[in-house]
Amino acid sequence: MSDVLVIIPTYNEIENIRAIIEKVMSYPDNFDILIIDDNSPDGTAQEVEALQKEYPGRLFLEKRSGKLGLGTAYIHGFKWALQRDYGYIIEMDADFSHNPDDLTRLYHNSKDKGFDVSIGSRYISGVNVVNWPMGRVLMSYFASAYVRLITGMNLRDATAGFVCYRRRVLESIQLDNIEFKGYAFQIEMKFKSHIKGFRISELPIIFINRQLGTSKMNSSIFGEAVLGVIKLKFDSFFRKKKF
C-alpha cells in the first residue's frame, strides 16, 4: 500500500472519472485513490467499479446514499484514510480543474520539506485562474482576502480545495465537529490547522475551470463562507475544545 491517498469526491463525473483515475495512477509516486460517490445517476460509481479490476489494491470506492455535501465527503474520506496506514492525504477535484501533475509537488512539499498542510494556491503568485467569469474570479479572490482579515491566517487561497494533509493534522482535528459542508469547509480545515500550530505552505498552481460536466458551485455556498468565517473566529476564542 502507498503512504499517500488521493481523495476524489464525485457526483455525475462520468465524463471525467476514467481519465482522472488513469492520470493519477500514471505517476511514479504510486498514489492510491479513494473515490467517494454520492449516488451519481450517470453511472460514475459503476465506471469506478470497472476500473478497480485494473488497479487492484490501489483504487477504492465508497458509495453514499445521495448528495450529502463536499465537506461530509472529505470527512468520510479522512476517517477512511485514518483507519489505514496513510501518512499523507490529498483532496482533489475530479474535473481536471486541479492539474494532476501538481499532485507530486504537493506530496513532496509535505513529505520532503516537512510542511503539515500543503495548499495548491490560485493566488499566491497573482491570479492563476483560467476560464472563470470575471465576477467569480473577483468573488473568490476577495473571499480569501476577507478570510485573512477575519481569521488572521496569512493565506492567499484559504478556500482552495487542492490540499495535502499530513496524517497527524487530521488525527488532531475533531472531525466530527467540523460544521460546514460547502465552501466554508475548506476554510474551517485550514483555520483549525492554523490554530493548532501546524506548518502551512502554499504552492502556486494554475486552476482551469472544468471543460466537461457541470459545476456544483452556487451562491449559497459563498454565503455559508461569509458567515462561517466569523463563527470560526468566535469559536476559536470561546470553544477551543471543539477544535
Side-chain angles (χ1 to χ4, degrees):
M1 187 180 76
S2 172
D3 73 334
V4 56
L5 177 71
V6 179
I7 300 174
I8 305 178
T10 56
Y11 182 77
N12 284 350
E13 293 290 354
I14 192 64
E15 295 165 298
N16 295 300
I17 195 62
R18 174 176 284 272
I20 197 72
I21 288 172
E22 290 177 344
K23 185 64 175 176
V24 173
M25 289 296 187
S26 71
Y27 297 108
D29 285 305
N30 293 319
F31 298 108
D32 284 356
I33 300 175
L34 172 63
I35 304 294
I36 301 175
D37 186 72
D38 276 3
N39 197 28
S40 299
D42 68 350
T44 298
Q46 290 72 25
E47 183 72 4
V48 175
E49 288 172 331
L51 285 167
Q52 283 182 302
K53 299 172 185 177
E54 300 180 28
Y55 303 105
R58 294 187 61 200
L59 176 60
F60 306 94
L61 172 66
E62 290 283 287
K63 294 188 286 187
R64 305 200 301 171
S65 60
K67 291 186 71 175
L68 303 176
L70 181 69
T72 65
Y74 277 126
I75 295 301
H76 184 106
F78 292 159
K79 290 180 177 180
W80 190 95
L82 292 177
Q83 291 171 356
R84 292 154 180 85
D85 294 329
Y86 295 104
Y88 304 87
I89 299 93
I90 301 177
E91 303 176 355
M92 183 182 182
D93 288 350
D95 60 8
F96 285 92
S97 55
H98 299 143
N99 187 340
D101 289 348
D102 291 319
L103 281 169
T104 295
R105 295 172 59 227
L106 292 178
Y107 172 46
H108 286 284
N109 194 59
S110 287
K111 183 175 183 179
D112 300 337
K113 297 183 180 179
F115 287 101
D116 299 300
V117 183
S118 296
I119 300 168
S121 176
R122 296 163 291 186
Y123 307 125
I124 192 64
S125 61
V127 178
N128 294 317
V129 177
V130 178
N131 293 335
W132 261 9
M134 182 54 66
R136 186 169 172 184
V137 172
L138 292 173
M139 185 179 294
S140 176
Y141 182 82
F142 285 110
S144 285
Y146 169 77
V147 171
R148 287 199 304 277
L149 176 66
I150 300 298
T151 65
M153 289 192 295
N154 187 27
L155 295 179
R156 292 288 167 180
D157 196 358
T159 61
F162 197 14
V163 186
C164 178
Y165 291 99
R166 277 182 176 268
R167 179 186 186 90
R168 63 192 181 200
V169 177
L170 301 182
E171 288 177 329
S172 76
I173 293 174
Q174 297 186 45
L175 296 174
D176 288 332
N177 288 336
I178 296 293
E179 298 185 42
F180 300 110
K181 296 181 179 181
Y183 218 48
F185 164 79
Q186 299 294 356
I187 303 169
E188 184 173 3
M189 287 296 299
K190 295 175 186 69
F191 184 62
K192 292 187 174 182
S193 301
H194 166 75
I195 288 292
K196 291 176 177 293
F198 288 110
R199 297 181 65 207
I200 304 175
S201 171
E202 290 183 274
L203 299 177
I205 65 164
I206 296 175
F207 181 95
I208 302 175
N209 194 32
R210 65 162 63 237
Q211 300 298 308
L212 298 172
T214 303
S215 174
K216 316 303 188 296
M217 184 62 66
N218 59 59
S219 59
S220 67
I221 292 175
F222 282 103
E224 178 193 64
V226 169
L227 298 177
V229 169
I230 297 173
K231 187 175 189 303
L232 285 174
K233 187 63 175 179
F234 179 87
D235 286 351
S236 72
F237 290 130
F238 300 105
R239 303 178 185 176
K240 287 188 177 180
K241 65 179 181 179
K242 292 180 63 180
F243 281 48

